Amino acid sequence: MNFSLTMSPSDLLLLLPEILLTSWLCLILIIDFSFPRLPNEQLAYLSIAGLVATLGCLAWFDITGITGTLFANMFVLDRMALFFKMFIVGSTILVILASIDYIHRFKFFRGEYYFLIVMSALGMMFMASANDLLSVFVTLEFSTFGFYVLVAYLREDMASNEAGIKFFILGVFAAGLLAYGISLVYGETGKLVFSDMKAAQATPGLAIGFLLIFGALGFKIGAVPFHSWIPDTYHGSPTPVTAFLSIAPKGAAFAILLRMFFVALATFKPIWVLLLVAASILSMTYGNIVAIAQKNMKRLLAYSGIAQIGNVLIGLAAGTKMGSDAILFYLLTYLFANLGAFAIIIAVSEAIGSEEIDDYSGLGRRSPFLAFSMLIFLLSLAGVPPLAGFIGKLYIFVAAMKEGLYALITVGLINIVISMYYYLIVVKKMYISEPHDPSPLKVSGPIKMVVYVCLAGTLAIGIYPQPFTDWVVSAILMFSNLAVPTASLPVPPAVTPFGG
Amino acid sequence: MGDYALLYILFAPFVGAIALIFVSNRQAMLVRGIAAGSAFVCLLASLYLFYAYDHVKGGFQFVQRFEWSRQLGISLHLGVDGIGTPLVLASGILLFAGIFVSWHIKDRTKEFYIWLLILAAATIGVFMSLDLFFLYFFYEMSVIPMYLLLGMWGSHTKKYNEMTDPEGLKQRDSVGFIFNFGSNSKEYAAMKLVLFLSAFAVAALMGILLIYKYSGLNTFDILVLREQARLMNIPVLGTTLDKIIWLLIFFGFASIAPLWPLHSWSPVGHAAAPAATSMLHAGVLMKLGHFSIIRVAFEILPETTRELMPIAAVLCMFSIVYGGFVAFYAKDTKYVIGYSSSSHMGYVFLGMAALDYISLTGAVMYMFAHAMATGMLFAMAGWVYDQTHTRDIPSLGGLSNRMPFISGCFVVGCMASIGVPGTVNFIAEVMIIVGSWNKYPFQVIVAVVGIVLTLAYLFKMMRGLFYGPMDQKYSHAHDAVAVVDRLPLLIMITVSIGFFFFPMHLYNVVRSGVDPLIAKITRVVPIADSGAGFGLMTEATGPAGTHDAQLLANNPVPPTSHTSREPQ
């Protein structure tokens, strides 16, 4: 293995988005220190400007098709990485916009808040490009590092501190799992780059190693049985951080999961399909059933998030090109619906100071805009046409159906109905229950903007998904020659025109 | 217009709903005007569609096809055949009438009309979808507006109000309260409706996905699937795949129809819903079930349909009798009409189960006729409720003095619902009964008993509402005098009676959709229909039945049935 670090300018070009964001990160920090009296909004808009520039750069790469690998395949910039980077940067922009009104709750270190968010985004951008077990470890820890601080940002709040401790201890534990898994895999195969492992022999050590790595990534995406940190952390964290935590790391972790399962472990598909089917069924069922009992909006979305991740795992279990398309597409729909719902939670909690579902009573009368948007986002999460979530779910189910995962699809379909119940409970509170206090709510500009963007995304993807499906399909063309054993289809016998 | 008629019908309500978003709730007349305008466009276009449909040519007409998703093989493929056309017309009429029936809604008028228009548009979308994906898309889309319409503008039952009254305190502590309280509220009704229908809808979706996979064609297009899908003879779980798919599709869609064991959401939902919603719900939403079964199961799995349709023939008896008896004993006007609807839907299942040219034509015509009849009844029950604020039949009475117009219309509505000659229901009922007699004589006897039951409970309700002594507290109740209040009832009465006297176009249109279907399923060429009209109908069925049997016995596998279906 050649670890020489000779770089040409054209190699540097591949790192341009990351370099851009890193320098911007330093700029944010310097400006924050140099002008302590600068209003927070300025810093927020400054961060957004940097992120938009990065997004533009990524879009330019995507359109002109600039791709390549760096550092002896440790860093890969293909169209899938570009998709996930845009996903992460886009969600970061929305999260920062949604934070502007929330920031006054932090007594100290308001400037560093933006720094930490952008830093986590940077870590996740590297995660999307990680093509090697070492870079997986480094980038994963890099991105989680910012979150450890962000989760506990409400220093006076016990719940936030508890969330931070819980997240930290379990996160470090997951990091330990990851490191141990990597060492086992390296010991068994002598390889670190995913694409070099294709020829690996199935040994117990390799199996345990990958199981441990899957555990660490499962912690990141919050799949059962690695979900236990999710509810408390989501509940205790500052809401914008919860929103960020519920979207961006999942996208980045799925980038790694896709590379790991579809490239490194492609030959072992019959084995890992069982693992993923089990994780998916458990996540969907557990998340949806426990969500029914929730009284707090953030906890509800935490459990519904666990269930949504179960849905995404169906696509991974399908293990085909179409399955990976469906994952990307589903994450896109999830981004808009989930971020939109969290933006409304922020708006409502700014106005009435509560995140309890009961306090959403009569929201339809107090703020028709918020209630209607929330309705759209929740129904999209539930998977009701004509919203994005429905197409996402259908895409995933079709991909799994082609592989013949009937049990998984049946469980998934039943879970749609279960999830409809608790989403509709919120709808009932908003529209049917009478308000405790009928005064209208005020919604600030930035939050409105986030909600508009998310509404537009949810409706556009739901009504005409063709451009989006085209995008995701072209984003993972690299899997199109994926060597997957075809599922054992019973070949229909030649049928006489009318049976017999 | 012309070729784009379907797009006008489908998108007029959507455009109206979107336009309403930008109107303030304070401009009530403007809100109503926009809603009525878009419904009027929809109605005009569906009238045009109905009369421009060429029944000689038959098949799917006004076809529109837009690529929607290449990866999944979905296209927005719209088109109507003889079965969809009258149902689209019925939806158009009921939407237009429903706008006027809910003219006096004061609370959040704008939102009400938005959801009503979306509900109607989604329903219409199902009737014209030629793509399995969009069929399901519109089907599921029609369920969610029901939740909001029931929850926001619906009403609790009498029992619920009693229990929450200050005087009902004693009841509130009773065990009965704990078990009964929730089930009498509108929230319960709305949630039950949505979860019940969604649960069965996903069963149908499973069936659709199985068709998609095993056809191997990578398309959801019904027209392609019905020609090319080969789903027979694949052994699964001790039976064959086609049977599993058929059962998933049948019971998935039969839940909204509603077939007997799956009916329990329906009366509760009807009772809680506001009048216009009940009209659309009983008038067209329930027909989505029959229609989807015809469109998916009959078209794509004709062989399996012939084998398994007796299931419907058995269950429809329970539907008819059970619904009839509960309606007889129910004390709530909307429960009576709701159960009568689910009882009458049993006739449609009987007509479908017999798989006969006449009976299926009758079934489709009955769907149309029932939409008008039940629409009228719900509209008037809604009017009575608005005036008296109760739906409790024993506490009402003698209202004909206060509202002569309504009580007059109610008689017509009851006649239509019973199927008295003079209304199109009669024609449809007779066709179902005559058409199914050969195959299911016992069920036909049950159906006739059902008609007697209908007579009994509707007359009982009519007497309870409009005749006898009147409670003085209802002396303020007044009649429908304004044009907007009378218009919807008059429209529905005109349609119901008009099609009795001029049924031939309706019959021809429906028949042109039924003929190829039954020919494909039963592999029997229809008996020559000289087109001389109804006189021939009964004459033709007798021989047709025996003829069918002989044909089947002698010639079980005719080589190409599609081509031999043209009536000679």
Side-chain angles (χ1 to χ4, degrees):
Chain A
M1 202 179 291
N2 180 16
F3 273 106
S4 66
L5 281 178
T6 48
M7 291 180 78
S8 63
S10 64
D11 287 344
L12 270 182
L13 178 70
L14 293 183
L15 278 174
L16 182 64
E18 281 82 4
I19 293 172
L20 188 69
L21 204 59
T22 313
S23 35
W24 206 273
L25 205 56
C26 303
L27 185 74
I28 293 172
L29 208 56
I30 291 165
I31 288 183
D32 181 42
F33 285 149
S34 321
F35 306 101
R37 294 186 182 278
L38 196 72
N40 273 295
E41 294 90 65
Q42 310 286 348
L43 215 52
Y45 291 123
L46 186 74
S47 330
I48 288 172
L51 287 162
V52 168
T54 315
L55 193 62
C57 182
L58 289 166
W60 171 52
F61 279 20
D62 200 39
I63 290 162
T64 52
I66 297 175
T67 52
T69 56
L70 279 181
F71 312 132
N73 270 335
M74 279 177 88
F75 179 96
V76 58
L77 191 76
D78 49 15
R79 295 204 60 202
M80 187 178 92
L82 281 172
F83 173 90
F84 278 111
K85 284 179 190 191
M86 283 191 260
F87 178 88
I88 290 157
V89 172
S91 61
T92 315
I93 293 172
L94 292 175
V95 164
I96 291 184
L97 260 182
S99 316
I100 290 174
D101 286 303
Y102 195 89
I103 207 90
H104 69 88
R105 298 200 188 183
F106 306 141
K107 298 249 161 50
F108 313 97
F109 309 125
R110 289 181 185 171
E112 282 86 340
Y113 172 77
Y114 298 115
F115 169 78
L116 284 167
I117 289 226
V118 178
M119 191 187 89
S120 305
L122 184 64
M124 285 182 281
M125 281 171 73
F126 278 114
M127 245 170 112
S129 281
N131 192 32
D132 167 291
L133 287 175
L134 279 183
S135 52
V136 166
F137 184 80
V138 173
T139 56
L140 202 120
E141 291 316 304
F142 177 28
S143 69
T144 318
F145 181 70
F147 277 117
Y148 291 144
V149 186
L150 284 170
V151 164
Y153 224 76
L154 291 165
R155 291 212 310 188
E156 319 277 301
D157 185 9
M158 289 296 283
S160 182
N161 285 313
E162 187 199 331
I165 298 283
K166 202 160 191 167
F167 186 48
F168 180 69
I169 291 176
L170 288 172
V172 171
F173 181 65
L177 288 185
L178 184 61
Y180 190 43
I182 289 172
S183 66
L184 277 176
V185 170
Y186 185 65
E188 288 289 334
T189 63
K191 304 266 197 299
L192 282 171
V193 179
F194 284 142
S195 41
D196 295 346
M197 290 176 200
K198 282 177 197 161
Q201 297 293 315
T203 55
L206 191 71
I208 294 171
F210 273 111
L211 210 56
L212 290 173
I213 298 174
F214 176 69
L217 291 167
F219 168 84
K220 204 76 187 153
I221 58 174
V224 175
F226 313 107
H227 64 282
S228 57
W229 60 280
I230 292 234
D232 287 338
T233 308
Y234 275 32
H235 186 193
S237 316
T239 315
V241 176
T242 312
F244 198 34
L245 200 56
S246 71
I247 308 277
K250 310 219 156 140
F254 267 104
I256 295 179
L257 280 170
L258 278 170
R259 287 186 208 283
M260 184 171 105
F261 282 116
F262 285 26
V263 177
L265 298 174
T267 43
F268 303 122
K269 189 189 167 194
I271 303 166
W272 53 255
V273 162
L274 296 176
L275 172 75
L276 290 174
V277 166
S280 166
I281 288 182
L282 284 175
S283 300
M284 286 190 291
T285 315
Y286 174 85
N288 278 327
I289 288 179
V290 181
I292 290 175
Q294 299 311 313
K295 300 265 181 286
N296 181 290
M297 239 3 242
K298 276 159 86 179
R299 287 188 91 87
L300 181 97
L301 284 184
Y303 283 107
S304 104
I306 296 175
Q308 303 282 350
I309 287 305
N311 268 314
V312 186
L313 285 176
I314 296 179
L316 207 55
T320 52
K321 159 90 173 90
M322 194 181 192
S324 49
D325 297 344
I327 289 176
L328 263 59
F329 187 78
Y330 195 95
L331 286 172
L332 206 57
T333 69
Y334 180 63
L335 163 81
F336 288 119
N338 214 35
L339 257 184
F342 273 113
I344 290 167
I345 294 178
I346 295 172
V348 171
S349 99
E350 279 307 299
I352 64 175
S354 167
E355 283 152 2
E356 299 300 306
I357 294 174
D358 197 41
D359 292 323
Y360 280 67
S361 296
L363 193 68
R365 287 188 195 279
R366 302 181 68 182
S367 170
F369 168 68
L370 285 185
F372 178 74
S373 313
M374 191 65 153
L375 173 76
I376 296 285
F377 297 139
L378 292 181
L379 292 182
S380 178
L381 288 174
V384 170
L387 303 171
F390 171 68
I391 318 288
K393 287 205 163 78
L394 191 91
Y395 207 155
I396 290 231
F397 288 145
V398 167
M401 185 50 106
K402 287 201 165 169
E403 288 303 294
L405 300 168
Y406 306 114
L408 194 52
I409 295 171
T410 310
V411 174
L413 288 173
I414 292 169
N415 270 294
I416 288 186
V417 182
I418 301 176
S419 71
M420 218 169 241
Y421 175 74
Y422 60 80
Y423 292 126
L424 283 179
I425 289 284
V426 181
V427 174
K428 177 183 128 184
K429 280 283 173 214
M430 292 192 304
Y431 276 106
I432 301 175
S433 305
E434 290 302 317
H436 303 313
D437 160 29
S439 61
L441 301 185
K442 250 188 77 197
V443 190
S444 72
I447 295 265
K448 251 189 189 158
M449 213 149 109
V450 177
V451 173
Y452 279 132
V453 170
C454 293
L455 266 184
T458 306
L459 288 170
I461 298 179
I463 290 169
Y464 191 61
Q466 183 70 63
F468 301 93
T469 48
D470 279 349
W471 184 25
V472 298
V473 165
S474 67
I476 1 196
L477 276 179
M478 57 178 204
F479 292 143
S480 55
N481 50 2
L482 191 61
V484 277
T486 47
S488 53
L489 286 187
V491 178
V495 183
T496 51
F498 288 103
Chain B
M1 201 109 186
D3 287 347
Y4 299 109
L6 290 185
L7 297 182
Y8 284 100
I9 300 172
L10 180 59
F11 288 107
F14 277 128
V15 171
I18 293 167
L20 279 179
I21 294 177
F22 300 102
V23 179
S24 161
N25 228 334
R26 263 162 283 165
Q27 295 165 292
M29 277 319 283
L30 183 62
V31 167
R32 291 171 193 144
I34 291 175
S38 57
F40 188 63
V41 172
C42 176
L43 173 65
L44 275 189
S46 54
L47 269 174
Y48 168 80
L49 178 79
F50 181 69
Y51 283 103
Y53 182 86
D54 184 355
H55 62 79
V56 181
K57 207 166 93 196
F60 290 100
Q61 297 180 13
F62 302 96
V63 174
Q64 298 285 329
R65 193 159 188 277
F66 305 97
E67 187 79 10
W68 197 73
S69 172
R70 274 190 297 282
Q71 285 78 29
L72 297 169
I74 299 167
S75 56
L76 177 59
H77 195 173
L78 302 175
V80 284
D81 64 348
I83 296 169
T85 311
L87 294 174
V88 170
L89 178 63
S91 318
I93 295 171
L94 284 190
L95 171 65
F96 187 67
I99 300 278
F100 288 100
V101 166
S102 35
W103 202 256
H104 300 291
I105 283 184
K106 294 274 187 303
D107 178 34
R108 292 183 274 190
T109 321
K110 176 178 105 175
E111 282 88 342
F112 178 84
Y113 281 124
I114 290 176
W115 293 117
L116 191 71
L117 287 169
I118 291 178
L119 170 68
T123 317
I124 291 170
V126 177
F127 291 139
M128 49 178 71
S129 292
L130 291 184
D131 190 281
L132 284 179
F133 169 82
F134 271 101
L135 189 114
Y136 181 82
F137 183 94
F138 286 123
Y139 180 92
E140 186 65 33
M141 198 174 153
S142 69
V143 172
I144 291 297
M146 286 301 289
Y147 182 82
L148 293 158
L149 285 166
L150 258 68
M152 286 161 80
W153 296 276
S155 48
H156 303 295
T157 63
K158 173 174 170 261
K159 210 163 193 169
Y160 181 91
N161 290 329
E162 277 174 2
M163 285 169 173
T164 44
D165 268 356
E167 297 139 33
L169 272 178
K170 215 182 339 171
Q171 269 193 320
R172 201 179 292 175
D173 299 328
S174 67
V175 181
F177 177 80
I178 294 160
F179 286 100
N180 238 335
F181 179 66
S183 67
N184 284 301
S185 71
K186 59 183 183 182
E187 289 91 346
Y188 171 85
M191 188 64 92
K192 179 167 185 174
L193 183 144
V194 170
L195 291 185
F196 207 100
L197 293 185
S198 299
F200 282 90
V202 297
L205 180 60
M206 186 73 187
I208 289 172
L209 287 174
L210 283 169
I211 292 176
Y212 179 79
K213 179 194 162 115
Y214 280 97
S215 69
L217 300 167
N218 198 30
T219 180
F220 282 101
D221 198 311
I222 294 176
L223 296 189
V224 177
L225 287 170
R226 72 168 180 176
E227 300 300 333
Q228 298 181 22
R230 297 276 176 266
L231 305 164
M232 306 289 295
N233 302 340
I234 300 171
V236 183
L237 298 174
T239 169
T240 51
L241 178 76
D242 57 322
K243 290 202 176 102
I244 291 186
I245 295 178
W246 194 90
L247 289 174
L248 283 170
I249 300 266
F250 179 79
F251 283 104
F253 287 127
S255 66
I256 203 175
L259 195 56
W260 166 62
L262 315 175
H263 67 282
S264 71
W265 61 273
S266 145
V268 191
H270 283 120
T277 313
S278 299
M279 284 166 61
L280 273 175
H281 180 178
V284 286
L285 216 68
M286 287 181 8
K287 278 79 175 178
L288 292 185
H290 307 106
F291 178 81
S292 306
I293 291 170
I294 292 176
R295 188 50 40 94
V296 183
F298 281 33
E299 291 275 10
I300 297 175
L301 296 161
E303 294 293 306
T304 326
T305 303
R306 201 184 56 223
E307 246 174 276
L308 295 182
M309 209 52 197
I311 296 175
V314 174
L315 293 178
C316 75
M317 290 190 295
F318 293 97
S319 264
I320 293 171
V321 175
Y322 177 85
F325 272 108
V326 179
F328 188 78
Y329 288 106
K331 291 196 170 49
D332 181 311
T333 50
K334 282 194 164 179
Y335 269 100
V336 174
I337 309 172
Y339 273 108
S340 99
S341 288
S342 67
S343 156
H344 287 171
M345 287 302 100
Y347 298 136
V348 180
F349 272 113
L350 176 58
M352 283 162 65
L355 293 177
D356 177 273
Y357 289 96
I358 299 299
S359 77
L360 186 60
T361 311
V364 176
M365 285 174 75
Y366 194 81
M367 288 190 228
F368 178 82
H370 179 260
M372 296 305 128
T374 201
M376 279 185 253
L377 289 179
F378 270 119
M380 286 178 284
W383 181 268
V384 170
Y385 178 75
D386 283 345
Q387 296 301 321
T388 61
H389 299 289
T390 179
R391 299 194 307 249
D392 187 38
I393 297 173
S395 75
L396 290 163
L399 290 173
S400 67
N401 290 327
R402 301 293 317 157
M403 33 182 92
F405 177 77
I406 291 288
S407 74
C409 290
F410 204 87
V411 177
V412 181
C414 287
M415 297 297 179
S417 194
I418 295 160
V420 171
T423 57
V424 65
N425 300 54
F426 169 72
I427 298 173
E429 252 174 40
V430 167
M431 284 174 77
I432 292 175
I433 286 170
V434 171
S436 340
W437 174 253
N438 277 305
K439 206 157 180 186
Y440 296 116
F442 181 68
Q443 275 85 340
V444 167
I445 294 169
V446 171
V448 173
V449 172
I451 294 175
V452 178
L453 268 174
T454 311
L455 195 98
Y457 60 73
L458 283 180
F459 274 38
K460 184 175 163 224
M461 178 168 77
M462 193 160 73
R463 191 193 62 199
L465 287 183
F466 294 106
Y467 304 105
M470 188 183 75
D471 192 325
Q472 276 313 304
K473 73 181 169 192
Y474 301 131
S475 56
H476 64 275
H478 62 84
D479 199 10
V481 280
V483 177
V484 289
D485 299 333
R486 291 192 171 185
L487 185 66
L489 292 174
L490 291 176
I491 291 174
M492 288 184 279
I493 289 173
T494 314
V495 172
S496 197
I497 294 176
F499 276 108
F500 173 77
F501 290 106
F502 306 101
M504 266 331 278
H505 186 67
L506 178 63
Y507 172 78
N508 283 333
V509 167
V510 174
R511 191 66 199 263
S512 75
V514 166
D515 276 356
L517 255 179
I518 295 289
K520 195 172 165 193
I521 294 169
T522 59
R523 312 190 305 237
V524 176
V525 179
I527 292 301
D529 187 346
S530 65
F534 256 87
L536 271 185
M537 185 192 71
T538 43
E539 291 158 28
T541 35
T546 48
H547 198 63
D548 287 4
Q550 280 163 9
L551 250 177
L552 272 174
N554 297 337
N555 189 13
V557 188
T560 50
S561 77
H562 303 330
T563 49
S564 65
R565 69 176 136 81
E566 285 87 14
Q568 298 307 312

